[in-house]
Amino acid sequence: MDQGTDVTERELDLQTDIPHSARIYDYLLGGKDNYPADRAAAGNIVANWPNLPVSMRANRKFMARMAHHLAAERGIRQFLDIGTGLPTSPNLHEVVQGVAPESRIVYVDNDPIVLVHARALLTSSREGRTGYLDADFRNPDAILESDQLREYLDLSRPVALSLIAILHFITDDAEVRRIIDRLMAPLAPGSVLALSTTTLDNNPEVVAAGVAAYNAHGIPTVARTKPEVETFFNGLEILDPGVVPVHRWHPDEESSRLDDPQVTIHGGIAVKN
């Protein structure tokens, strides 16, 4: 472990009576870090969006395949993962350090529940390092200017910026592009943007109903089309196989058995030349 946190649930107001996106995600993945309000909201959302748990599991597997690919095939040794969410094994650092133990990872999130459990994200190989930064995706300058980021990552060398299942919680496309552009600007050539986000393409009526349910529970959410997602990679070279449903991105045997209407999250990676 490189750095930890002594924060406890008692020291933070987790607002356990209000449903929270990270805890809903945890619940639908079979986790235990959730509360009755989260489980009730999840039940209402899934009633409108029955395949949401399948999409979430497919997204988690996409994260692992993406991280392995970047470490094993592209030689990336530095990862900046924003919108980390609650620890769910395998976490990104476990995947990449399994390939290259010297890899360095900085996790970023601003959710109190994630901060409580951040120690689980800070286990590291002896050769590598993992760190946790309590910061907001909407404030990229605070992330880039943090002492911790500069301590852990060398921005003169390629970095993989990982934005997994976070962009659908920012409803303004222009704001998303502004943030991504700011985060990618100081990264060295050869750096990679990896993202996944909810899309309408595979099952539009069901997704629209599910998104409406999220919004009804006070969690601003949007689903986009594939062309809209592709605009987030403007100025970068999108790599094979492009922006696709996450189960079709370099699929393993389990993912290849899923049907498109079951998975309503698109993902892809692109390189900065």
Side-chain angles (χ1 to χ4, degrees), residues 3 80 104 106 129 131-135 140-155:
Q3 283 192 353
L80 175 59
R104 295 184 169 215
V106 173
R129 298 186 74 186
Y132 181 85
L133 177 61
D134 182 22
D141 288 339
I143 297 171
L144 293 170
E145 294 169 5
S146 70
D147 292 337
Q148 187 172 2
L149 181 73
R150 300 291 175 154
E151 176 188 352
Y152 279 67
L153 303 182
D154 177 1
L155 299 190

Side-chain angles (χ1 to χ4, degrees), residues 22 35 46 81 88 114 125 160 200 228-229 259 270:
Y35 297 90
V46 171
D81 182 73
T88 303
V114 180
S125 64
L200 288 163
E228 288 171 333
V229 176
D259 296 326

Side-chain angles (χ1 to χ4, degrees), residues 39-222:
R39 297 190 283 273
N44 291 337
I45 293 166
V46 171
N48 290 281
W49 198 347
N51 288 325
L52 181 58
V54 176
S55 281
M56 288 182 168
R57 288 192 292 271
N59 179 70
R60 193 71 192 176
K61 288 180 69 66
F62 162 75
M63 182 281 296
R65 295 196 309 278
M66 172 274 296
H68 187 277
H69 175 86
L70 292 179
E73 303 299 329
R74 298 197 67 86
I76 301 291
R77 298 292 181 263
Q78 301 187 108
F79 292 77
L80 175 59
D81 182 73
I82 303 179
T84 299
L86 288 161
T88 303
S89 188
N91 293 298
L92 187 147
H93 73 279
E94 295 171 315
V95 176
V96 300
Q97 290 182 346
V99 174
E102 71 274 20
S103 297
R104 295 184 169 215
I105 298 90
V106 173
Y107 291 112
V108 181
D109 210 306
N110 72 327
D111 293 339
I113 186 67
V114 180
L115 181 60
V116 168
H117 295 278
R119 280 190 181 275
L121 294 168
L122 296 173
T123 56
S124 177
S125 64
R126 183 179 304 174
E127 302 89 340
R129 298 186 74 186
T130 63
Y132 181 85
L133 177 61
D134 182 22
D136 193 330
F137 175 65
R138 293 178 176 84
N139 187 358
D141 288 339
I143 297 171
L144 293 170
E145 294 169 5
S146 70
D147 292 337
Q148 187 172 2
L149 181 73
R150 300 291 175 154
E151 176 188 352
Y152 279 67
L153 303 182
D154 177 1
L155 299 190
S156 70
R157 298 172 54 235
V159 174
L161 171 62
S162 173
L163 306 176
I164 303 300
I166 181 177
L167 301 183
H168 43 243
F169 296 123
I170 300 179
T171 58
D172 184 339
D173 286 14
E175 182 180 10
V176 173
R177 286 192 291 270
R178 176 189 66 81
I179 294 169
I180 290 175
D181 288 347
R182 179 68 186 96
L183 289 168
M184 291 298 297
L187 303 188
S191 293
V192 171
L193 170 63
L195 66 81
S196 67
T197 190
T198 298
T199 57
L200 288 163
D201 301 61
N202 288 355
N203 208 336
E205 292 183 3
V206 169
V207 173
V211 166
Y214 262 102
N215 281 280
H217 283 285
I219 303 172
T221 307
V222 65

